[in-house]
Amino acid sequence: MPTDSLNDVASCSSSEMEKFLCNLLLDSTQPISERFRALFSLRNLKGPTPRTALIQATRDSSNLLAHEAAFALGQMQEQEAIPALTAVLNDISLHPIVRHEAAEALGAIGLDSNVSLLKHSLNSDPAQEVRETCELALQRILNLKHDDDTNHDLTAPGISPFKSVDPAAPATSCSSVNQLRELLLDEEKGMYERYAALFALRNDGGNEAVAAIIDSLGSKSALLKHE
């Protein structure tokens, strides 16, 4: 197809666009910025062709791209990607940042069948960041299982106003930004609690909330700083 960049595909058919985006995503000779644009375009398209390309991208030589491909599969909640994500999580030869995102994606998909997979890595993965992510993912699945809330309004506490599938539901037990800040920065608290505070602060979006998130960049946890 005679196209040189994503800016040229507006007039293409949907199948041509999918093919172009998949090829662009998987072409390691292309600029990483263009490959990322293709990745997030495929995330929005969904379906078997984008899913297959994103699964392939989880094995890319760029750890950053592979990480984002796993992230996209989690955001799409692609159940068909579970075997591939499990294989990534269990492949210790892959960078921890990629394995971490595979674990987070399994948590985002949220099936009970993912629990045993995550528990295995929680107990065996050599990287702390991966183990912490498995802990988060397991807690998310547990919370989903016990969630009786049927309110699907975007203002509901557990639903992101950004329409993202978050690794932790925003904290609702704290009534102020200062309380959320204290929870976020408390190294003695569990990772899920701190993540819940982080996403509540993100949703607040005010100057004090932003300052609290900036302060968390001094955390001992590489995972928390990454998020």
Side-chain angles (χ1 to χ4, degrees):
M1 182 170 59
T3 55
D4 296 320
S5 75
L6 281 173
N7 296 324
D8 301 320
V9 299
S11 62
C12 298
S13 69
S14 59
S15 60
E16 287 178 321
M17 180 178 289
E18 276 192 357
K19 182 178 179 181
F20 171 79
L21 291 170
C22 291
N23 289 339
L24 178 56
L25 171 65
L26 300 174
D27 186 351
S28 61
T29 67
Q30 295 298 318
I32 195 69
S33 58
E34 289 292 303
R35 299 179 73 194
F36 261 65
R37 291 179 68 192
L39 187 155
F40 285 104
S41 295
L42 289 168
R43 179 197 66 178
N44 294 337
L45 291 176
K46 297 190 175 184
T49 301
R51 178 176 66 245
T52 299
L54 288 166
I55 287 172
Q56 286 182 254
T58 63
R59 299 286 181 159
D60 196 83
S61 59
S62 166
N63 292 324
L64 184 61
L65 188 81
H67 166 278
E68 289 301 314
F71 168 77
L73 290 166
Q75 293 297 297
M76 294 159 72
Q77 297 185 300
E78 283 280 5
Q79 296 183 19
E80 293 83 356
I82 289 174
L85 290 168
T86 303
V88 169
L89 177 59
N90 291 335
D91 189 346
I92 305 301
S93 70
L94 297 177
H95 195 283
I97 195 175
V98 181
R99 303 203 309 278
H100 132 77
E101 199 59 49
E104 187 169 305
L106 290 169
I109 294 169
L111 295 185
D112 285 348
S113 57
N114 292 346
V115 168
S116 61
L117 309 174
L118 291 162
K119 283 184 175 179
H120 172 75
S121 290
L122 175 63
N123 294 324
S124 64
D125 197 287
Q128 180 179 349
E129 298 85 356
V130 178
R131 296 194 303 272
E132 287 178 340
T133 306
C134 290
E135 178 187 338
L136 283 167
L138 286 165
Q139 187 62 52
R140 182 180 188 277
I141 293 172
L142 180 64
N143 288 358
L144 286 174
K145 188 174 181 180
H146 292 91
D147 186 7
D148 295 324
D149 186 3
T150 57
N151 182 3
H152 297 292
D153 189 333
L154 286 179
T155 60
I159 299 177
S160 168
F162 302 99
K163 300 184 180 180
S164 56
V165 184
D166 297 330
T172 57
S173 59
C174 299
S175 58
S176 70
V177 168
N178 188 55
Q179 287 179 319
L180 289 169
R181 180 185 183 279
E182 289 180 2
L183 178 56
L184 174 63
L185 301 180
D186 189 343
E187 299 285 356
E188 300 302 316
K189 294 294 185 181
M191 192 55 63
Y192 190 89
E193 290 179 275
R194 299 178 74 188
Y195 259 57
L198 173 65
F199 285 105
L201 289 165
R202 177 204 65 182
N203 291 353
D204 179 280
N207 290 337
E208 290 184 2
V210 172
I213 293 173
I214 291 172
D215 287 343
S216 73
L217 294 175
S219 170
K220 295 177 182 178
S221 169
L223 182 66
L224 188 68
K225 289 186 282 190
H226 162 77
E227 198 66 35

mmCIF file of all heavy atoms in Angstrom, residues 64-109:
data_model
loop_
_atom_site.group_PDB
_atom_site.id
_atom_site.type_symbol
_atom_site.label_atom_id
_atom_site.label_comp_id
_atom_site.label_asym_id
_atom_site.label_seq_id
_atom_site.Cartn_x
_atom_site.Cartn_y
_atom_site.Cartn_z
ATOM 1 N N LEU A 64 10.347 -1.099 25.769
ATOM 2 C CA LEU A 64 9.311 -0.089 25.945
ATOM 3 C C LEU A 64 8.090 -0.408 25.084
ATOM 4 O O LEU A 64 6.950 -0.345 25.554
ATOM 5 C CB LEU A 64 9.866 1.292 25.590
ATOM 6 C CG LEU A 64 8.921 2.476 25.816
ATOM 7 C CD1 LEU A 64 8.532 2.591 27.283
ATOM 8 C CD2 LEU A 64 9.586 3.772 25.339
ATOM 9 N N LEU A 65 8.331 -0.770 23.830
ATOM 10 C CA LEU A 65 7.221 -1.111 22.942
ATOM 11 C C LEU A 65 6.526 -2.386 23.409
ATOM 12 O O LEU A 65 5.291 -2.469 23.407
ATOM 13 C CB LEU A 65 7.717 -1.281 21.506
ATOM 14 C CG LEU A 65 6.600 -1.447 20.471
ATOM 15 C CD1 LEU A 65 6.022 -0.089 20.094
ATOM 16 C CD2 LEU A 65 7.092 -2.163 19.229
ATOM 17 N N ALA A 66 7.307 -3.378 23.815
ATOM 18 C CA ALA A 66 6.726 -4.635 24.294
ATOM 19 C C ALA A 66 5.859 -4.393 25.526
ATOM 20 O O ALA A 66 4.774 -4.973 25.668
ATOM 21 C CB ALA A 66 7.841 -5.632 24.605
ATOM 22 N N HIS A 67 6.336 -3.532 26.410
ATOM 23 C CA HIS A 67 5.572 -3.152 27.606
ATOM 24 C C HIS A 67 4.238 -2.543 27.215
ATOM 25 O O HIS A 67 3.178 -2.910 27.741
ATOM 26 C CB HIS A 67 6.414 -2.164 28.423
ATOM 27 C CG HIS A 67 5.669 -1.417 29.486
ATOM 28 N ND1 HIS A 67 4.920 -0.290 29.213
ATOM 29 C CD2 HIS A 67 5.572 -1.617 30.827
ATOM 30 C CE1 HIS A 67 4.385 0.161 30.336
ATOM 31 N NE2 HIS A 67 4.768 -0.623 31.329
ATOM 32 N N GLU A 68 4.259 -1.609 26.263
ATOM 33 C CA GLU A 68 3.026 -0.926 25.869
ATOM 34 C C GLU A 68 2.079 -1.853 25.123
ATOM 35 O O GLU A 68 0.853 -1.696 25.204
ATOM 36 C CB GLU A 68 3.350 0.298 25.016
ATOM 37 C CG GLU A 68 3.988 1.429 25.788
ATOM 38 C CD GLU A 68 3.117 1.941 26.929
ATOM 39 O OE1 GLU A 68 1.910 2.146 26.721
ATOM 40 O OE2 GLU A 68 3.654 2.126 28.034
ATOM 41 N N ALA A 69 2.620 -2.826 24.404
ATOM 42 C CA ALA A 69 1.761 -3.798 23.718
ATOM 43 C C ALA A 69 0.994 -4.634 24.739
ATOM 44 O O ALA A 69 -0.212 -4.882 24.582
ATOM 45 C CB ALA A 69 2.601 -4.689 22.809
ATOM 46 N N ALA A 70 1.681 -5.059 25.794
ATOM 47 C CA ALA A 70 1.004 -5.803 26.858
ATOM 48 C C ALA A 70 -0.035 -4.921 27.546
ATOM 49 O O ALA A 70 -1.146 -5.367 27.854
ATOM 50 C CB ALA A 70 2.027 -6.314 27.866
ATOM 51 N N PHE A 71 0.325 -3.661 27.763
ATOM 52 C CA PHE A 71 -0.617 -2.710 28.360
ATOM 53 C C PHE A 71 -1.879 -2.592 27.507
ATOM 54 O O PHE A 71 -3.007 -2.622 28.022
ATOM 55 C CB PHE A 71 0.051 -1.342 28.500
ATOM 56 C CG PHE A 71 -0.890 -0.222 28.836
ATOM 57 C CD1 PHE A 71 -1.375 -0.065 30.124
ATOM 58 C CD2 PHE A 71 -1.295 0.681 27.859
ATOM 59 C CE1 PHE A 71 -2.255 0.969 30.437
ATOM 60 C CE2 PHE A 71 -2.169 1.717 28.160
ATOM 61 C CZ PHE A 71 -2.652 1.859 29.451
ATOM 62 N N ALA A 72 -1.699 -2.459 26.194
ATOM 63 C CA ALA A 72 -2.840 -2.305 25.291
ATOM 64 C C ALA A 72 -3.754 -3.525 25.347
ATOM 65 O O ALA A 72 -4.980 -3.393 25.367
ATOM 66 C CB ALA A 72 -2.348 -2.068 23.863
ATOM 67 N N LEU A 73 -3.174 -4.709 25.388
ATOM 68 C CA LEU A 73 -3.988 -5.931 25.460
ATOM 69 C C LEU A 73 -4.795 -5.969 26.752
ATOM 70 O O LEU A 73 -5.941 -6.432 26.766
ATOM 71 C CB LEU A 73 -3.085 -7.161 25.350
ATOM 72 C CG LEU A 73 -2.455 -7.391 23.970
ATOM 73 C CD1 LEU A 73 -1.334 -8.419 24.061
ATOM 74 C CD2 LEU A 73 -3.510 -7.828 22.956
ATOM 75 N N GLY A 74 -4.210 -5.465 27.827
ATOM 76 C CA GLY A 74 -4.949 -5.394 29.083
ATOM 77 C C GLY A 74 -6.077 -4.384 29.020
ATOM 78 O O GLY A 74 -7.189 -4.642 29.488
ATOM 79 N N GLN A 75 -5.804 -3.221 28.428
ATOM 80 C CA GLN A 75 -6.837 -2.201 28.303
ATOM 81 C C GLN A 75 -7.983 -2.666 27.403
ATOM 82 O O GLN A 75 -9.141 -2.310 27.619
ATOM 83 C CB GLN A 75 -6.232 -0.905 27.753
ATOM 84 C CG GLN A 75 -5.268 -0.217 28.697
ATOM 85 C CD GLN A 75 -5.925 0.230 29.989
ATOM 86 O OE1 GLN A 75 -6.817 1.068 29.990
ATOM 87 N NE2 GLN A 75 -5.485 -0.340 31.104
ATOM 88 N N MET A 76 -7.658 -3.468 26.406
ATOM 89 C CA MET A 76 -8.676 -4.035 25.523
ATOM 90 C C MET A 76 -9.426 -5.182 26.195
ATOM 91 O O MET A 76 -10.453 -5.624 25.708
ATOM 92 C CB MET A 76 -8.009 -4.533 24.238
ATOM 93 C CG MET A 76 -7.404 -3.423 23.385
ATOM 94 S SD MET A 76 -6.133 -4.032 22.235
ATOM 95 C CE MET A 76 -7.139 -4.913 21.044
ATOM 96 N N GLN A 77 -8.860 -5.678 27.302
ATOM 97 C CA GLN A 77 -9.409 -6.821 28.046
ATOM 98 C C GLN A 77 -9.624 -8.019 27.115
ATOM 99 O O GLN A 77 -10.665 -8.665 27.120
ATOM 100 C CB GLN A 77 -10.687 -6.418 28.780
ATOM 101 C CG GLN A 77 -10.421 -5.334 29.831
ATOM 102 C CD GLN A 77 -11.620 -4.977 30.679
ATOM 103 O OE1 GLN A 77 -12.637 -4.533 30.150
ATOM 104 N NE2 GLN A 77 -11.511 -5.172 31.986
ATOM 105 N N GLU A 78 -8.576 -8.290 26.351
ATOM 106 C CA GLU A 78 -8.610 -9.358 25.356
ATOM 107 C C GLU A 78 -8.388 -10.720 26.019
ATOM 108 O O GLU A 78 -7.257 -11.118 26.301
ATOM 109 C CB GLU A 78 -7.532 -9.114 24.294
ATOM 110 C CG GLU A 78 -7.884 -8.044 23.280
ATOM 111 C CD GLU A 78 -8.820 -8.568 22.192
ATOM 112 O OE1 GLU A 78 -9.262 -9.731 22.286
ATOM 113 O OE2 GLU A 78 -9.097 -7.821 21.243
ATOM 114 N N GLN A 79 -9.463 -11.451 26.244
ATOM 115 C CA GLN A 79 -9.343 -12.756 26.881
ATOM 116 C C GLN A 79 -8.539 -13.736 26.026
ATOM 117 O O GLN A 79 -7.848 -14.612 26.559
ATOM 118 C CB GLN A 79 -10.735 -13.323 27.165
ATOM 119 C CG GLN A 79 -11.531 -12.498 28.167
ATOM 120 C CD GLN A 79 -12.877 -13.110 28.497
ATOM 121 O OE1 GLN A 79 -13.107 -14.294 28.281
ATOM 122 N NE2 GLN A 79 -13.781 -12.293 29.029
ATOM 123 N N GLU A 80 -8.624 -13.574 24.709
ATOM 124 C CA GLU A 80 -7.888 -14.474 23.816
ATOM 125 C C GLU A 80 -6.380 -14.272 23.924
ATOM 126 O O GLU A 80 -5.600 -15.103 23.455
ATOM 127 C CB GLU A 80 -8.340 -14.260 22.367
ATOM 128 C CG GLU A 80 -9.770 -14.684 22.082
ATOM 129 C CD GLU A 80 -10.789 -13.610 22.453
ATOM 130 O OE1 GLU A 80 -10.386 -12.556 23.017
ATOM 131 O OE2 GLU A 80 -11.986 -13.825 22.193
ATOM 132 N N ALA A 81 -5.964 -13.166 24.537
ATOM 133 C CA ALA A 81 -4.534 -12.891 24.686
ATOM 134 C C ALA A 81 -3.958 -13.488 25.964
ATOM 135 O O ALA A 81 -2.742 -13.405 26.189
ATOM 136 C CB ALA A 81 -4.294 -11.377 24.674
ATOM 137 N N ILE A 82 -4.793 -14.101 26.793
ATOM 138 C CA ILE A 82 -4.319 -14.616 28.084
ATOM 139 C C ILE A 82 -3.168 -15.615 27.935
ATOM 140 O O ILE A 82 -2.163 -15.502 28.654
ATOM 141 C CB ILE A 82 -5.488 -15.222 28.889
ATOM 142 C CG1 ILE A 82 -6.411 -14.103 29.380
ATOM 143 C CG2 ILE A 82 -4.977 -16.040 30.077
ATOM 144 C CD1 ILE A 82 -7.681 -14.597 30.060
ATOM 145 N N PRO A 83 -3.239 -16.598 27.027
ATOM 146 C CA PRO A 83 -2.101 -17.525 26.903
ATOM 147 C C PRO A 83 -0.793 -16.816 26.556
ATOM 148 O O PRO A 83 0.265 -17.139 27.113
ATOM 149 C CB PRO A 83 -2.543 -18.476 25.790
ATOM 150 C CG PRO A 83 -4.037 -18.436 25.832
ATOM 151 C CD PRO A 83 -4.373 -17.013 26.178
ATOM 152 N N ALA A 84 -0.863 -15.848 25.654
ATOM 153 C CA ALA A 84 0.349 -15.124 25.260
ATOM 154 C C ALA A 84 0.873 -14.271 26.406
ATOM 155 O O ALA A 84 2.089 -14.208 26.649
ATOM 156 C CB ALA A 84 0.066 -14.251 24.039
ATOM 157 N N LEU A 85 -0.021 -13.614 27.123
ATOM 158 C CA LEU A 85 0.396 -12.796 28.264
ATOM 159 C C LEU A 85 0.989 -13.661 29.373
ATOM 160 O O LEU A 85 1.958 -13.272 30.032
ATOM 161 C CB LEU A 85 -0.798 -12.000 28.797
ATOM 162 C CG LEU A 85 -1.299 -10.871 27.893
ATOM 163 C CD1 LEU A 85 -2.651 -10.355 28.377
ATOM 164 C CD2 LEU A 85 -0.283 -9.727 27.834
ATOM 165 N N THR A 86 0.419 -14.837 29.566
ATOM 166 C CA THR A 86 0.955 -15.765 30.561
ATOM 167 C C THR A 86 2.362 -16.203 30.184
ATOM 168 O O THR A 86 3.260 -16.283 31.036
ATOM 169 C CB THR A 86 0.041 -16.994 30.692
ATOM 170 O OG1 THR A 86 -1.280 -16.567 31.040
ATOM 171 C CG2 THR A 86 0.554 -17.949 31.753
ATOM 172 N N ALA A 87 2.558 -16.475 28.900
ATOM 173 C CA ALA A 87 3.886 -16.880 28.428
ATOM 174 C C ALA A 87 4.903 -15.767 28.640
ATOM 175 O O ALA A 87 6.052 -16.020 29.027
ATOM 176 C CB ALA A 87 3.815 -17.268 26.955
ATOM 177 N N VAL A 88 4.487 -14.528 28.405
ATOM 178 C CA VAL A 88 5.380 -13.387 28.640
ATOM 179 C C VAL A 88 5.708 -13.276 30.130
ATOM 180 O O VAL A 88 6.872 -13.102 30.518
ATOM 181 C CB VAL A 88 4.732 -12.083 28.131
ATOM 182 C CG1 VAL A 88 5.526 -10.864 28.601
ATOM 183 C CG2 VAL A 88 4.641 -12.089 26.610
ATOM 184 N N LEU A 89 4.696 -13.391 30.964
ATOM 185 C CA LEU A 89 4.900 -13.287 32.409
ATOM 186 C C LEU A 89 5.867 -14.353 32.916
ATOM 187 O O LEU A 89 6.695 -14.089 33.795
ATOM 188 C CB LEU A 89 3.552 -13.415 33.121
ATOM 189 C CG LEU A 89 3.562 -13.414 34.654
ATOM 190 C CD1 LEU A 89 4.187 -12.133 35.201
ATOM 191 C CD2 LEU A 89 2.147 -13.588 35.190
ATOM 192 N N ASN A 90 5.793 -15.533 32.353
ATOM 193 C CA ASN A 90 6.615 -16.649 32.830
ATOM 194 C C ASN A 90 8.007 -16.703 32.207
ATOM 195 O O ASN A 90 8.838 -17.509 32.635
ATOM 196 C CB ASN A 90 5.899 -17.976 32.553
ATOM 197 C CG ASN A 90 4.667 -18.155 33.422
ATOM 198 O OD1 ASN A 90 4.576 -17.578 34.505
ATOM 199 N ND2 ASN A 90 3.715 -18.953 32.953
ATOM 200 N N ASP A 91 8.255 -15.862 31.215
ATOM 201 C CA ASP A 91 9.540 -15.894 30.510
ATOM 202 C C ASP A 91 10.536 -14.973 31.222
ATOM 203 O O ASP A 91 10.582 -13.768 30.972
ATOM 204 C CB ASP A 91 9.350 -15.470 29.056
ATOM 205 C CG ASP A 91 10.600 -15.683 28.215
ATOM 206 O OD1 ASP A 91 11.682 -15.896 28.797
ATOM 207 O OD2 ASP A 91 10.495 -15.632 26.977
ATOM 208 N N ILE A 92 11.342 -15.548 32.081
ATOM 209 C CA ILE A 92 12.269 -14.765 32.900
ATOM 210 C C ILE A 92 13.352 -14.101 32.055
ATOM 211 O O ILE A 92 14.024 -13.171 32.505
ATOM 212 C CB ILE A 92 12.908 -15.660 33.991
ATOM 213 C CG1 ILE A 92 11.815 -16.338 34.821
ATOM 214 C CG2 ILE A 92 13.798 -14.848 34.918
ATOM 215 C CD1 ILE A 92 10.874 -15.370 35.504
ATOM 216 N N SER A 93 13.522 -14.551 30.815
ATOM 217 C CA SER A 93 14.522 -13.917 29.951
ATOM 218 C C SER A 93 14.082 -12.531 29.496
ATOM 219 O O SER A 93 14.912 -11.729 29.046
ATOM 220 C CB SER A 93 14.801 -14.792 28.722
ATOM 221 O OG SER A 93 13.686 -14.810 27.840
ATOM 222 N N LEU A 94 12.792 -12.242 29.608
ATOM 223 C CA LEU A 94 12.284 -10.931 29.206
ATOM 224 C C LEU A 94 12.526 -9.911 30.320
ATOM 225 O O LEU A 94 12.606 -10.259 31.495
ATOM 226 C CB LEU A 94 10.793 -11.014 28.886
ATOM 227 C CG LEU A 94 10.410 -11.909 27.710
ATOM 228 C CD1 LEU A 94 8.899 -11.963 27.550
ATOM 229 C CD2 LEU A 94 11.061 -11.429 26.418
ATOM 230 N N HIS A 95 12.600 -8.656 29.934
ATOM 231 C CA HIS A 95 12.852 -7.589 30.906
ATOM 232 C C HIS A 95 11.700 -7.516 31.914
ATOM 233 O O HIS A 95 10.534 -7.704 31.551
ATOM 234 C CB HIS A 95 12.984 -6.253 30.172
ATOM 235 C CG HIS A 95 13.590 -5.167 30.999
ATOM 236 N ND1 HIS A 95 12.884 -4.502 31.974
ATOM 237 C CD2 HIS A 95 14.842 -4.638 31.005
ATOM 238 C CE1 HIS A 95 13.665 -3.600 32.548
ATOM 239 N NE2 HIS A 95 14.861 -3.663 31.983
ATOM 240 N N PRO A 96 12.011 -7.234 33.187
ATOM 241 C CA PRO A 96 10.946 -7.136 34.195
ATOM 242 C C PRO A 96 9.836 -6.152 33.840
ATOM 243 O O PRO A 96 8.677 -6.372 34.200
ATOM 244 C CB PRO A 96 11.699 -6.685 35.455
ATOM 245 C CG PRO A 96 13.072 -7.228 35.279
ATOM 246 C CD PRO A 96 13.350 -7.137 33.799
ATOM 247 N N ILE A 97 10.165 -5.077 33.116
ATOM 248 C CA ILE A 97 9.131 -4.098 32.776
ATOM 249 C C ILE A 97 8.081 -4.711 31.848
ATOM 250 O O ILE A 97 6.902 -4.354 31.896
ATOM 251 C CB ILE A 97 9.747 -2.829 32.139
ATOM 252 C CG1 ILE A 97 8.727 -1.692 32.136
ATOM 253 C CG2 ILE A 97 10.244 -3.088 30.730
ATOM 254 C CD1 ILE A 97 9.282 -0.371 31.640
ATOM 255 N N VAL A 98 8.502 -5.667 31.027
ATOM 256 C CA VAL A 98 7.570 -6.342 30.122
ATOM 257 C C VAL A 98 6.750 -7.372 30.900
ATOM 258 O O VAL A 98 5.524 -7.455 30.751
ATOM 259 C CB VAL A 98 8.327 -7.005 28.958
ATOM 260 C CG1 VAL A 98 7.344 -7.675 28.000
ATOM 261 C CG2 VAL A 98 9.177 -5.981 28.209
ATOM 262 N N ARG A 99 7.418 -8.140 31.750
ATOM 263 C CA ARG A 99 6.709 -9.135 32.560
ATOM 264 C C ARG A 99 5.721 -8.449 33.510
ATOM 265 O O ARG A 99 4.609 -8.943 33.722
ATOM 266 C CB ARG A 99 7.702 -9.996 33.356
ATOM 267 C CG ARG A 99 8.732 -10.696 32.486
ATOM 268 C CD ARG A 99 9.323 -11.919 33.155
ATOM 269 N NE ARG A 99 9.822 -11.702 34.498
ATOM 270 C CZ ARG A 99 11.020 -11.193 34.803
ATOM 271 N NH1 ARG A 99 11.842 -10.808 33.838
ATOM 272 N NH2 ARG A 99 11.406 -11.063 36.063
ATOM 273 N N HIS A 100 6.144 -7.335 34.076
ATOM 274 C CA HIS A 100 5.254 -6.571 34.958
ATOM 275 C C HIS A 100 3.965 -6.187 34.240
ATOM 276 O O HIS A 100 2.865 -6.329 34.781
ATOM 277 C CB HIS A 100 5.981 -5.318 35.471
ATOM 278 C CG HIS A 100 5.204 -4.049 35.360
ATOM 279 N ND1 HIS A 100 4.176 -3.714 36.221
ATOM 280 C CD2 HIS A 100 5.286 -3.031 34.460
ATOM 281 C CE1 HIS A 100 3.669 -2.544 35.860
ATOM 282 N NE2 HIS A 100 4.321 -2.117 34.805
ATOM 283 N N GLU A 101 4.103 -5.714 33.006
ATOM 284 C CA GLU A 101 2.906 -5.251 32.297
ATOM 285 C C GLU A 101 2.022 -6.411 31.871
ATOM 286 O O GLU A 101 0.797 -6.268 31.787
ATOM 287 C CB GLU A 101 3.294 -4.401 31.092
ATOM 288 C CG GLU A 101 2.168 -3.519 30.586
ATOM 289 C CD GLU A 101 1.642 -2.555 31.647
ATOM 290 O OE1 GLU A 101 2.443 -1.874 32.300
ATOM 291 O OE2 GLU A 101 0.399 -2.493 31.818
ATOM 292 N N ALA A 102 2.624 -7.566 31.618
ATOM 293 C CA ALA A 102 1.818 -8.753 31.324
ATOM 294 C C ALA A 102 0.976 -9.132 32.538
ATOM 295 O O ALA A 102 -0.202 -9.490 32.408
ATOM 296 C CB ALA A 102 2.723 -9.912 30.913
ATOM 297 N N ALA A 103 1.573 -9.031 33.723
ATOM 298 C CA ALA A 103 0.825 -9.317 34.953
ATOM 299 C C ALA A 103 -0.302 -8.313 35.144
ATOM 300 O O ALA A 103 -1.431 -8.678 35.504
ATOM 301 C CB ALA A 103 1.769 -9.296 36.156
ATOM 302 N N GLU A 104 -0.006 -7.046 34.900
ATOM 303 C CA GLU A 104 -1.041 -6.021 35.046
ATOM 304 C C GLU A 104 -2.174 -6.249 34.047
ATOM 305 O O GLU A 104 -3.352 -6.050 34.365
ATOM 306 C CB GLU A 104 -0.441 -4.630 34.858
ATOM 307 C CG GLU A 104 -1.418 -3.508 35.171
ATOM 308 C CD GLU A 104 -0.757 -2.145 35.231
ATOM 309 O OE1 GLU A 104 0.209 -1.983 36.002
ATOM 310 O OE2 GLU A 104 -1.209 -1.243 34.498
ATOM 311 N N ALA A 105 -1.819 -6.672 32.838
ATOM 312 C CA ALA A 105 -2.838 -6.943 31.822
ATOM 313 C C ALA A 105 -3.738 -8.106 32.241
ATOM 314 O O ALA A 105 -4.957 -8.068 32.037
ATOM 315 C CB ALA A 105 -2.171 -7.247 30.483
ATOM 316 N N LEU A 106 -3.152 -9.133 32.832
ATOM 317 C CA LEU A 106 -3.959 -10.259 33.317
ATOM 318 C C LEU A 106 -4.913 -9.800 34.414
ATOM 319 O O LEU A 106 -6.053 -10.265 34.500
ATOM 320 C CB LEU A 106 -3.045 -11.373 33.823
ATOM 321 C CG LEU A 106 -2.260 -12.124 32.736
ATOM 322 C CD1 LEU A 106 -1.186 -13.007 33.362
ATOM 323 C CD2 LEU A 106 -3.191 -12.956 31.860
ATOM 324 N N GLY A 107 -4.462 -8.877 35.243
ATOM 325 C CA GLY A 107 -5.344 -8.310 36.254
ATOM 326 C C GLY A 107 -6.439 -7.464 35.634
ATOM 327 O O GLY A 107 -7.586 -7.480 36.086
ATOM 328 N N ALA A 108 -6.099 -6.725 34.587
ATOM 329 C CA ALA A 108 -7.088 -5.884 33.907
ATOM 330 C C ALA A 108 -8.164 -6.727 33.239
ATOM 331 O O ALA A 108 -9.346 -6.374 33.247
ATOM 332 C CB ALA A 108 -6.395 -4.995 32.876
ATOM 333 N N ILE A 109 -7.765 -7.853 32.667
ATOM 334 C CA ILE A 109 -8.744 -8.761 32.052
ATOM 335 C C ILE A 109 -9.667 -9.319 33.126
ATOM 336 O O ILE A 109 -10.868 -9.467 32.918
ATOM 337 C CB ILE A 109 -8.022 -9.870 31.270
ATOM 338 C CG1 ILE A 109 -7.281 -9.250 30.072
ATOM 339 C CG2 ILE A 109 -9.005 -10.934 30.785
ATOM 340 C CD1 ILE A 109 -6.320 -10.185 29.373
#
